[in-house]
Amino acid sequence: MAHLKKIILSLCLLASCLCTQGQIILKPGFDPGQYIRLLEITHKQTAGLYPTPEKPTHDSTASRSANDTIHLPAIPLPAGFRLVYRSPETGLYNRWALWLRDDSAVAVISIRGTIMNTASWMENFYAAMVPATGEIQWNDSVTFHYKLAEDPRATVHAGWLLGLASLAPTILQEIRRYEKLGVKQFIIFGHSQGGALAFLVRSYLHYLPEGALPKDIVYKAYCSAAPKPGNLYYAYDFDYITRGGWAFRVVNARDWVPETPFSIQTLEDFNTVNPFQNIKPALKHRSLLVKLYAGHVFNKLDRSSKKANKKFRRVLGHTVYKQIHQTLPEFKEPVYAKSMNYMTAGTPVVLMPYADYDHDFPFDGKNVFIHHGLKAYYLLTMHQYASSGLNR
């Protein structure tokens, strides 16, 4: 009986998809209504992870008393979409879900962010970089092969690459399943750590080997409150493959998380042709005193940046790996890239605070994620794009 129900469900889905097949629903450009709906979807998956305080702290400039309660509108359920698949927790407690629009024309790959679990946080702290193309030894029998950029100088965050490795098999499985039923349009979405993973998932799908997935699938990505995913050359590549309005980095101007991880630029991070690799020709016609002084200062600064880079790679690489190894004992430590030059990627969509924002989301000195939560992003979008009608 259960098998018969699955067959009937598949036939109904196929019939619905045939009605919408060839209909292009996804269009380039930031769609605030679409983004609102994605926040509703991820809120349904992760409600309570980023709670908003009900009472503000005292503010001498505020007209409200400290005992007044701020009643912010709740994030509603995601109307028009239904949950059709939820992956198991894998790797460092990563998980994603597939939501299907009621007309079966568009599916959403919704990637969960950090949860209150040490291993999940270690994924964020494992911030040494690795090449954007290569392989990682997941366990004694599984090697994850990946390509996330064309440029061999591109590097990405080691922890989020681990997250991608754990999620990729089921993401491919479900895309193949629903593509066969006629679903050709997918939105890739994540908030916070989920947004960082959304970058890598989009790149991974673009560079899959020939024949892994049909080439006529349309992808659109929204990376919400996302940290920086890789170095400058990865960012260049991501922006190139999603050019024309197909990937967005949505940021609350008050949120500190998108400013992470720490970034250190050294001479090795520049393009090959630059005046800094060999400073001597630039000083050729200067006096001996200027040459000696400028050369001394330049070398000192160069050594300082390289020393900091090396220390960050050691602490955020090998030291954190020891912690991750406790959760993934068969994961082999990769060779880290020398770069720590983290950069943002994706077309920026900046959500600026509205007039009463700081009253609605007051910082009390301890609630450091107050501006990072789903509700802050939701209300900022509603305020900033209210005049657009928010057609969802």
Side-chain angles (χ1 to χ4, degrees):
M1 181 63 71
H3 181 63
L4 179 60
K5 286 182 178 180
K6 286 184 179 180
I7 293 176
I8 294 174
L9 177 62
S10 296
L11 289 174
C12 292
L13 178 60
L14 178 59
S16 177
C17 287
L18 288 174
C19 293
T20 57
Q21 195 167 14
Q23 182 183 1
I24 302 300
I25 304 298
L26 294 183
K27 297 178 181 179
F30 178 72
D31 184 331
Q34 200 170 68
Y35 176 65
I36 283 286
R37 184 51 44 85
L38 295 170
L39 289 174
E40 293 169 358
I41 284 174
T42 201
H43 179 260
K44 176 66 176 175
Q45 294 175 214
T46 60
L49 281 183
Y50 301 105
T52 300
E54 290 296 325
K55 294 183 179 181
T57 54
H58 178 68
D59 183 347
S60 60
T61 64
S63 59
R64 304 182 179 110
S65 72
N67 294 322
D68 289 337
T69 299
I70 297 176
H71 295 285
L72 299 177
I75 298 178
L77 295 175
F81 282 83
R82 63 188 187 278
L83 178 66
V84 295
Y85 174 82
R86 187 174 70 160
S87 77
E89 284 188 329
T90 58
L92 298 174
Y93 294 85
N94 295 110
R95 170 172 272 172
W96 73 280
L98 189 73
W99 293 71
L100 191 65
R101 213 169 77 164
D102 285 346
D103 63 4
S104 302
V106 178
V108 175
I109 298 169
S110 179
I111 305 169
R112 189 174 73 179
T114 311
I115 63 171
M116 299 308 168
N117 174 289
T118 300
S120 181
W121 280 100
M122 284 298 106
E123 181 173 309
N124 299 328
F125 296 147
Y126 192 30
M129 284 187 171
V130 292
T133 299
E135 60 183 44
I136 54 174
Q137 187 87 29
W138 187 248
N139 56 44
D140 291 340
S141 59
V142 177
T143 299
F144 178 64
H145 300 272
Y146 64 93
K147 180 178 181 180
L148 306 179
E150 196 71 57
D151 195 324
R153 298 170 297 176
T155 58
V156 295
H157 186 283
W160 299 325
L161 178 63
L162 267 180
L164 170 67
S166 69
L167 297 176
T170 52
I171 289 177
L172 291 181
Q173 165 194 296
E174 295 306 308
I175 291 178
R176 291 185 182 118
R177 176 187 175 193
Y178 280 89
E179 190 279 332
K180 288 179 180 178
L181 294 171
V183 180
K184 297 284 189 179
Q185 301 168 78
F186 291 83
I187 298 175
I188 303 164
F189 178 78
H191 188 84
S192 190
Q193 182 192 87
L197 290 168
F199 282 117
L200 303 191
V201 168
R202 180 63 188 91
S203 297
Y204 178 72
L205 293 175
H206 180 84
Y207 285 109
L208 282 172
E210 188 72 29
L213 285 176
K215 292 296 185 182
D216 60 345
I217 296 178
V218 177
Y219 301 105
K220 190 174 184 179
Y222 288 86
C223 306
S224 177
K228 296 173 281 188
N231 73 348
L232 177 65
Y233 301 110
Y234 171 77
Y236 281 163
D237 191 279
F238 182 87
D239 290 349
Y240 179 74
I241 67 174
T242 61
R243 64 194 181 280
W246 290 101
F248 299 92
R249 174 178 60 92
V250 188
V251 178
N252 175 358
R254 290 276 200 276
D255 188 3
W256 61 271
V257 174
E259 299 167 4
T260 63
F262 290 103
S263 183
I264 301 173
Q265 187 179 37
T266 69
L267 290 180
E268 295 181 12
D269 293 308
F270 282 87
N271 268 304
T272 305
V273 179
N274 69 76
F276 308 114
Q277 287 291 349
N278 188 357
I279 196 173
K280 290 182 179 179
L283 300 173
K284 184 177 180 180
H285 300 294
R286 303 296 178 181
S287 67
L288 178 61
L289 184 61
V290 170
K291 289 180 183 179
L292 292 174
Y293 178 75
H296 169 73
V297 171
F298 183 85
N299 291 333
K300 187 176 181 180
L301 293 174
D302 185 37
R303 284 195 300 269
S304 297
S305 63
K306 287 180 178 178
K307 184 177 180 180
N309 186 303
K310 185 177 180 179
K311 186 172 184 178
F312 269 67
R313 284 188 284 118
R314 183 178 70 251
V315 173
L316 301 177
H318 183 65
T319 302
V320 178
Y321 168 79
K322 293 178 181 178
Q323 298 295 318
I324 289 176
H325 193 255
Q326 296 177 17
T327 303
L328 303 174
E330 295 183 0
F331 166 55
K332 300 297 188 295
E333 186 172 16
V335 176
Y336 305 117
K338 291 184 178 181
S339 178
M340 284 293 295
N341 187 31
Y342 276 100
M343 291 288 174
T344 58
T347 301
V349 176
V350 180
L351 303 175
M352 299 301 293
Y354 50 86
D356 293 327
Y357 174 84
D358 289 314
H359 294 298
D360 292 344
F361 298 92
F363 176 57
D364 63 9
K366 297 179 181 179
N367 53 347
V368 295
F369 290 106
I370 185 71
H371 304 306
H372 187 60
L374 293 171
K375 186 164 283 190
Y377 276 75
Y378 190 87
L379 292 184
L380 280 169
T381 307
M382 294 291 284
H383 275 269
Q384 191 157 312
Y385 291 96
S387 61
S388 69
L390 290 174
N391 180 23
R392 295 180 287 169

